[in-house]
Amino acid sequence: MSKSWRPATQLVHGGTTRSQHAETSEAIFLTQGFVYDTSEAAEARFKGETEGFIYARYGSPTNDMFEKRMCLLEGAEDARATASGMAAVTAAILCQLKAGDHIVAARALFGSCRWVVETLAPKYGIDCTLIDGRDLSNWEKAIRKTTRVFFLESPTNPTLEVVDIAGVAKLANQIGAKVVVDNVFATPLFQKPLELGAHVVVYSATKHIDGQGRCLGGVVLSDKAWIDENLHDYFRHTGPAMSPFNAWTLLKGIETLPLRVKQQTENAARIADFLAEQTQVAQVIYPGRKDHPQADIIAKQMTGGSTLVCFELKGGKEAAFALQNALDIVKISNNLGDAKSLITHPATTTHKNLTDEARAELGISPGTVRFSAGIEDGDDLIADFARALAAVKA
């Protein structure tokens, strides 16, 4: 296996193992357990003296191929595939903490991610401080003697704020803390958090990696020492393992990831520019535009824009609903990263459980809309938005 292969090649061939039948497509190993030739062989396997699989909750050949392929893409030493993106986030954070420890997290998080650090972790005696992650001084001010984890999304959901990953990692290294980055919105094609100094990367593979609305999945990636010391036992004993069938589906999805993300990003950029010229739109936030508030950081740490666009309609919730209801090609959904273009009203869906004050802090107004570009023809998408905007009062 050549490590010099470029991403598009690795995502078709990387990490592949074949059975005695020499199948072209990766095999699905739908099995809970594995058979040993002798009792002595079973004992040696459980002692770790010989390599091999023990139980599907710990790992399976299909999951192993998906994990290895993700490692090649991300530049990580090791990975664990989980049943969902939130299983990956929860495992990555909790596996390395104990009562009395402290998390510093950027407040701009997906609703469930915020619940994990703000509500779940404190139930186990783990403190959390939420900050405006755009300002590095806020990270430094929040540090305590017990701070063990920095957690962030970049770009953020849904307002596409960007955090200086290298700057946060530098602060974390000074105190021996670990930086966990949710890299879903950038995709592993446009941003490499581990190269920027982060210690752990998590994905909801449900999004771009599957990218076709078929299955749930997540993955945690890091160096082998961190996974062995922190995630290995947590993963084995709490059971967030991915189904082998989902791992196979994701292996098929990941083959076309570069093709899909390229088209999605081109469409997102065109829609962002189109919306910026419309009288019904108050503002557009897109990492590929020069007017993005953190354009200087984006230039340093991202090699592409995003498949997501955030924009605000002047008419608030009424205007947002009118637009969404009038769209034809673009479908209303809380998902993202799909081959189909999707649109979401965060205040009433993904971030509805936050208080009005918390949403306002994050820049989520009643008129905020998140658009996830699909792979459709860009001219058709612009025409769809142009027609739908006619239903929105200027």
Side-chain angles (χ1 to χ4, degrees), residues 143 198 240 270:
I143 291 173
R270 290 189 64 188

Side-chain angles (χ1 to χ4, degrees), residues 185-190 208-209 256-268 286 305-307 337 373-375:
F185 272 40
T187 80
L189 297 172
F190 291 156
H208 303 93
I209 293 167
T256 61
L257 179 67
L259 301 174
R260 288 183 284 104
V261 168
K262 181 178 184 290
Q263 180 66 26
Q264 289 169 310
T265 303
E266 289 177 0
N267 284 342
Y286 181 67
S306 178
T307 66
I375 63 172

